[in-house]
Amino acid sequence: RFHRVHGANVRLDASRTRATRVESFANGLCFSQEPLAPGQIFLVEIEEKELGWCGHLRVGLTAHDPQSLEVVPEYSLPDLVNMGDTWVFAITRSHNRVAVDGEEAPAQARGSPWEPFLLIEQVRIPRDALVGRSRPGRYSHILDDLYKMNVLPATARRSRIGVLYALQPDGTADMHIVINGEDMGPSARRLPAARPLYAVVDVFASTKSVRVIPVEYGFPSLQTLCRLVIQKHIVHRLAIDGLDLPPPLKSFCKHE
């Protein structure tokens, strides 16, 4: 859930799993309720966008306990970062991958989108929950190729973005951003892993509302594996309606 401490323009729902910026384009800072454990991803889905603003969601980690903040900063970048012990990554529509060890960032993600797990160093996360998908609609056939590849633009509605940290041999940690099941690489290094690290989600500018997505670690369920096989072999998503399947499974296969 989100922490009770948040920016002045944020409104949380009763469950504290949905955060909405109700006015302006700033003062949208949110934090995780608890510090993250090593390898634990804090994942959100973009639910609403707002036209007319320049900029998108920002995510990261902070060693500041939100409860200790006298005033929640207006911006994560640069205000919260300038307080120190905070690492924030601005999400753009494209080019979010970071270069590793001076190498050029790859143009495409490595590995198949149908692989059931995302591996980040020693961290193993079920990929299915990490991937945002557009839902079938009047013009959904236009997005079928994107759907098959489990890809949405990073800043689109229903895109899923998460942050986690992976422990390193020297006792520090690397921060990783995950966008729709793809690891963007270590966007910050040498974080103080011995200190509690809270997730930071800045509901900024054109991103108006986000929702926390729970991620269960472990083996994918038989239902999830069935969905992956069905999605892989149909012509497009609307073809699911013509399959001889129970309605709940059809709905699940459409990711509704």
Side-chain angles (χ1 to χ4, degrees):
R1 297 190 296 175
F2 287 115
H3 201 285
R4 295 184 184 277
V5 174
H6 52 73
N9 286 337
V10 170
R11 298 294 180 271
L12 302 180
D13 67 353
S15 67
R16 282 194 280 134
T17 60
R18 190 171 191 265
T20 303
R21 194 189 67 255
V22 293
E23 61 180 271
S24 182
F25 62 91
N27 283 302
L29 263 177
C30 301
F31 306 92
S32 58
Q33 165 69 20
E34 304 288 345
L36 302 185
Q40 178 188 5
I41 190 168
F42 193 81
L43 183 70
V44 297
E45 178 176 294
I46 298 174
E47 287 209 331
E48 290 185 56
K49 303 291 293 295
E50 185 171 28
L51 299 177
W53 302 116
C54 180
H56 304 283
L57 188 71
R58 298 165 171 182
V59 297
L61 297 169
T62 183
H64 293 283
D65 183 343
Q67 199 70 46
S68 69
L69 297 175
E70 294 184 7
V71 177
V72 177
E74 185 175 5
Y75 304 100
S76 58
L77 287 170
D79 299 357
L80 185 62
V81 170
N82 285 345
M83 293 174 61
D85 295 326
T86 300
W87 306 266
V88 173
F89 191 91
I91 305 301
T92 63
R93 182 176 174 83
S94 58
H95 308 300
N96 290 287
R97 292 185 62 81
V98 297
V100 179
D101 297 330
E103 298 178 357
E104 184 178 353
Q108 296 180 348
R110 297 178 182 176
S112 167
W114 299 106
E115 292 175 359
F117 290 96
L118 174 66
L119 301 178
I120 302 177
E121 300 182 27
Q122 303 303 314
V123 180
R124 179 181 170 98
I125 311 173
R127 188 188 296 270
D128 189 62
L130 304 178
V131 179
R133 300 179 179 89
S134 62
R135 298 181 181 177
R138 184 173 180 182
Y139 302 107
S140 61
H141 61 284
I142 297 173
L143 294 176
D144 278 333
D145 289 339
L146 290 177
Y147 181 76
K148 288 178 182 179
M149 294 301 295
N150 288 345
V151 171
L152 275 176
T155 58
R157 289 180 64 242
R158 301 192 179 93
S159 181
R160 294 187 175 183
I161 299 170
V163 61
L164 60 88
Y165 66 92
L167 295 178
Q168 300 302 304
D170 64 358
T172 64
D174 288 354
M175 182 178 81
H176 287 252
I177 305 298
V178 176
I179 300 179
N180 291 320
E182 179 186 353
D183 175 24
M184 296 296 109
S187 52
R189 295 184 183 273
R190 303 190 64 79
L191 276 64
R195 298 180 60 184
L197 296 173
Y198 293 79
V200 177
V201 177
D202 193 351
V203 187
F204 177 69
S206 64
T207 303
K208 183 173 179 65
S209 179
V210 299
R211 177 170 57 95
V212 177
I213 303 295
V215 178
E216 296 181 0
Y217 292 72
F219 292 104
S221 66
L222 178 60
Q223 187 180 40
T224 294
L225 293 173
C226 287
R227 174 168 67 182
L228 290 173
V229 172
I230 291 169
Q231 291 173 340
K232 187 175 182 179
H233 289 90
I234 60 175
V235 177
H236 58 75
R237 288 164 294 160
L238 297 185
I240 292 175
D241 291 326
L243 298 178
D244 187 17
L245 298 172
L249 183 55
K250 290 183 181 181
S251 177
F252 185 71
C253 288
K254 294 176 183 177
H255 209 76
E256 294 181 349

